[in-house]
Amino acid sequence: MRFEYFAAPDDETAALTIDGGEIDGAVASHVVDPASVLGQLERLLGGPRGDDGLRSAQLVAESPDGARLLIRLSNHLVTLFGMVRPTTLDDVVKHWSLSRRFRRAEPEDLHAFAAGLHELCKGPGKRVYCRATADESELAAVLAPAATVPASAPDATDANPDPVEPKPLPRRR
């Protein structure tokens, strides 16, 4: 998955990015999942301890093919992270990097991401969103069973012209 974080004034404006085009000022990551990994950051900053991370993000939109999701970060997380002092950011990243999610990530990559996300969270009057885009290999795995339906199968006739619905993307843990 590719995660692109950006600021927008509202859900409707942010939803315009679901087409997959360039997003100006986006901060990208292949590791920082908006639900689970940002949930860890929220807890580190003083958020609820019993939360599984799902409070830190809310689904706003999904592309018709299921390849892209648009997720809004919680106001609580954005406010907490935006209040972190630049001098404290290094310590926050150091503790956040202890998560097993970052075992293979370079520390400077996480720091660059955190610095970019921090700038987005400090922006007044805007919300922070994440566009999650599935990699081609992830889409192929999800759509593979649909591709194996033989042309002679009853569901593949002209009587049922609806394409087979793709399965939802697997949830990352």
Side-chain angles (χ1 to χ4, degrees):
M1 295 285 284
R2 177 175 169 80
F3 304 104
E4 298 167 281
Y5 293 84
F6 63 99
D10 53 47
D11 290 354
E12 292 77 23
T13 304
L16 297 174
T17 67
I18 201 70
D19 65 357
E22 289 278 326
I23 302 174
D24 290 333
V27 179
S29 172
H30 284 283
V31 179
V32 183
D33 181 313
S36 61
V37 179
L38 286 184
Q40 295 167 352
L41 175 63
E42 188 171 10
R43 285 189 297 278
L44 181 64
L45 296 172
R49 294 281 175 211
D51 182 19
D52 64 359
L54 297 178
R55 288 187 198 178
S56 60
Q58 181 178 359
L59 182 65
V60 173
E62 181 177 352
S63 65
D65 62 359
R68 287 176 298 284
L69 302 174
L70 182 66
I71 301 154
R72 179 179 2 98
L73 305 190
S74 73
N75 290 337
H76 186 250
L77 172 62
V78 171
T79 301
L80 282 174
F81 198 50
M83 291 178 6
V84 171
R85 293 185 183 136
T87 55
T88 310
L89 188 60
D90 286 341
D91 289 334
V92 170
V93 171
K94 180 177 155 186
H95 285 85
W96 193 26
S97 70
L98 298 176
S99 166
R100 61 185 163 90
R101 283 290 221 172
F102 300 118
R103 285 185 189 152
R104 290 180 281 164
E106 294 294 322
E108 56 273 7
D109 293 343
L110 179 58
H111 190 275
F113 170 82
L117 182 63
H118 186 246
E119 287 300 315
L120 292 174
C121 291
K122 291 189 319 185
K126 293 193 175 189
R127 293 183 157 182
V128 178
Y129 296 86
C130 174
R131 182 176 68 190
T133 304
D135 294 329
E136 292 297 322
S137 62
E138 292 169 314
L139 283 176
V142 171
L143 296 175
T148 61
V149 175
S152 61
D155 288 345
T157 65
D158 289 335
N160 186 6
D162 294 333
V164 177
E165 286 292 317
K167 294 180 182 177
L169 296 173
R171 182 166 175 199
R172 299 183 75 159
R173 292 196 177 248

